[in-house]
Amino acid sequence: MKELPEIKESLTGIYDISLSPVRANALAAGAELRIFDHLNSPVTAKKIAEECNYCAETTEEFLNVLVACGLLEKKNSEYLNRPDTRQFLVSDSPTYYGKILLREYHRISMTPAEIIETVKGGPAGPKEEDDMGLEEFWSDYARSIANWERSGSAQKLGEIISKLPQFDSFEHMLDLGGGPGLMGIAVLQHHPSMTGVVFDQPAVAKVAGEFISYYGLDARMTVMGGNYLQDSFGTGYDLILCSCTLNFALGCMDEMVQKIYYALNPGGVFASLHDGIFNEGTAPEFHILNMMSSAFSGFNWGIKKGLIAESMKKAGFEEVTSESIDLDVGPFDLDIAVKGS
């Protein structure tokens, strides 16, 4: 009679990963249905089904799954959003994450068959984003990403930059590749008089202008449209901020950082927030998983830890420091360089 195998390890980790698609699909379905909009007050599954013309039986089963995922609470047959769900998954919240969640879900999702085909046959090229025009796509994306930025990341970065010893002396800043401008806006809100420019491609810069007006900074902040890899973005800045954008400069990082160096005033500061890939390209987990579909398409846009700091030193910056900061979507590197006086 054969004996059962000796078990030295636990299956729990692998089993948990096997359930990950269920959680992700349930979350995406909930966002698509905007079911969380109906759950800011305790409500039964039957009531939601009646309001939305859903099947009562499967609505209850779906809500139970969302409870099991940690997205809802259930008591006395009534369901209720958890505090984080209320803030990030209710569509009228200023930090609504559902739209970009769905965009990213479709971008990063690959079926096992697609992964197998790519591993065997090589990169298949980038996925088509959607049917909208390129300008409309980037404009829509900028509005979506704004809700992620103001869900904590912009506030945290603004707080860190405001503690720089040079901060009080800053007069003019550039938010380079700034997207909707929330990172730059957060920095300006810590300073009584500094002015700023958000530079990004024209469609995105237009969106940044809308957020600048929304936060009442028209008198201190403007926008500039262009391609920062090719076009001039001006000079005379005391602070240049690059937030999750220099991935586009991977093929010309030294030249890009040199361009930033020349755009700064003497004593100016260049701060770059970016992913920092380490452990032979396997960590941090957040970034490796997020970038998988892009890497499989033939473009791995991850920035290796230390790459930008090294370019800063080559460009002639007098002082370069690096730290890791934890944001809601994982750890990021923040490299800060000071130009000589």
Side-chain angles (χ1 to χ4, degrees), residues 237-268:
Y237 301 107
D238 300 301
L239 169 68
I240 295 181
L241 175 67
C242 289
S243 173
C244 304
T245 185
L246 289 181
N247 307 75
F248 295 107
L250 274 175
C252 57
M253 190 64 73
D254 287 348
E255 294 83 355
M256 188 69 237
V257 174
Q258 189 76 69
K259 189 175 178 179
I260 291 169
Y261 178 88
Y262 288 129
L264 282 166
N265 289 327

Side-chain angles (χ1 to χ4, degrees), residues 110-126:
M110 294 185 73
T111 66
E114 289 173 323
I115 294 173
I116 291 168
E117 181 180 356
T118 306
V119 169
K120 288 182 175 181

Side-chain angles (χ1 to χ4, degrees), residues 7-15:
I7 302 301
K8 297 180 179 179
E9 306 293 342
S10 172
L11 183 61
T12 301
I14 292 173
Y15 181 66

Side-chain angles (χ1 to χ4, degrees), residues 220-238:
R220 294 174 55 197
M221 206 167 195
T222 58
V223 300
M224 189 185 307
N227 180 339
Y228 67 66
L229 296 178
Q230 302 169 357
D231 303 330
S232 170
F233 41 77
T235 59
Y237 301 107
D238 300 301

Side-chain angles (χ1 to χ4, degrees), residues 54-73:
Y54 298 157
C55 168
E57 180 182 356
T58 50
T59 297
E60 182 171 9
E61 297 295 353
F62 180 53
L63 293 174
N64 286 342
V65 170
L66 294 179
V67 173
C69 289
L71 295 167
L72 302 178
E73 297 173 355

Side-chain angles (χ1 to χ4, degrees), residues 135-147 149 178-182 185 198 200-215 223-224:
E135 184 172 318
E136 184 183 356
F137 166 79
W138 282 113
S139 176
D140 185 67
Y141 181 78
R143 289 190 175 88
S144 299
I145 203 72
N147 280 2
E149 291 186 352
L182 271 295
I185 287 169
V198 179
D200 212 310
Q201 52 186 303
V204 176
K206 183 178 178 180
V207 174
E210 295 172 6
F211 282 104
I212 289 168
S213 296
Y214 179 82
Y215 286 100
V223 300
M224 189 185 307

Side-chain angles (χ1 to χ4, degrees), residues 39-287:
L39 292 157
N40 277 341
S41 299
V43 61
T44 64
K46 182 180 179 181
K47 179 67 174 176
I48 291 179
E50 290 173 352
E51 289 179 357
C52 301
N53 196 28
Y54 298 157
C55 168
E57 180 182 356
T58 50
T59 297
E60 182 171 9
E61 297 295 353
F62 180 53
L63 293 174
N64 286 342
V65 170
L66 294 179
V67 173
C69 289
L71 295 167
L72 302 178
E73 297 173 355
K74 183 179 182 181
K75 185 176 181 180
N76 298 325
S77 298
E78 292 184 321
Y79 299 86
L80 179 68
N81 282 327
R82 290 174 55 86
D84 55 347
T85 309
R86 182 180 296 115
Q87 179 160 6
F88 300 118
L89 292 177
V90 174
S91 63
D92 63 359
S93 168
T95 53
Y96 175 59
Y97 189 69
K99 189 170 185 178
I100 193 166
L101 182 153
L102 289 170
R103 182 187 293 279
E104 289 297 280
Y105 173 81
H106 293 298
R107 180 184 69 82
I108 67 178
S109 296
M110 294 185 73
T111 66
E114 289 173 323
I115 294 173
I116 291 168
E117 181 180 356
T118 306
V119 169
K120 288 182 175 181
K127 286 183 178 181
E128 292 294 328
E129 296 290 353
D130 46 41
D131 294 329
M132 66 176 65
L134 192 60
E135 184 172 318
E136 184 183 356
F137 166 79
W138 282 113
S139 176
D140 185 67
Y141 181 78
R143 289 190 175 88
S144 299
I145 203 72
N147 280 2
W148 166 68
E149 291 186 352
R150 61 182 173 182
S151 292
S153 296
Q155 295 90 326
K156 188 164 189 174
L157 183 62
E159 183 73 23
I160 291 171
I161 298 297
S162 72
K163 288 183 168 60
L164 293 175
Q166 305 91 343
F167 187 73
D168 290 343
S169 66
F170 289 159
E171 295 182 1
H172 194 45
M173 74 163 285
L174 170 66
D175 187 358
L176 184 62
L182 271 295
M183 298 297 198
I185 287 169
V187 171
L188 247 68
Q189 287 183 337
H190 282 276
H191 199 289
S193 59
M194 180 167 56
T195 58
V197 177
V198 179
F199 185 102
D200 212 310
Q201 52 186 303
V204 176
K206 183 178 178 180
V207 174
E210 295 172 6
F211 282 104
I212 289 168
S213 296
Y214 179 82
Y215 286 100
L217 287 169
D218 290 290
R220 294 174 55 197
M221 206 167 195
T222 58
V223 300
M224 189 185 307
N227 180 339
Y228 67 66
L229 296 178
Q230 302 169 357
D231 303 330
S232 170
F233 41 77
T235 59
Y237 301 107
D238 300 301
L239 169 68
I240 295 181
L241 175 67
C242 289
S243 173
C244 304
T245 185
L246 289 181
N247 307 75
F248 295 107
L250 274 175
C252 57
M253 190 64 73
D254 287 348
E255 294 83 355
M256 188 69 237
V257 174
Q258 189 76 69
K259 189 175 178 179
I260 291 169
Y261 178 88
Y262 288 129
L264 282 166
N265 289 327
V269 174
F270 167 34
S272 174
L273 179 73
H274 51 269
D275 50 284
I277 306 301
F278 64 98
N279 202 23
E280 301 185 47
T282 66
E285 176 189 11
F286 286 88
H287 302 310

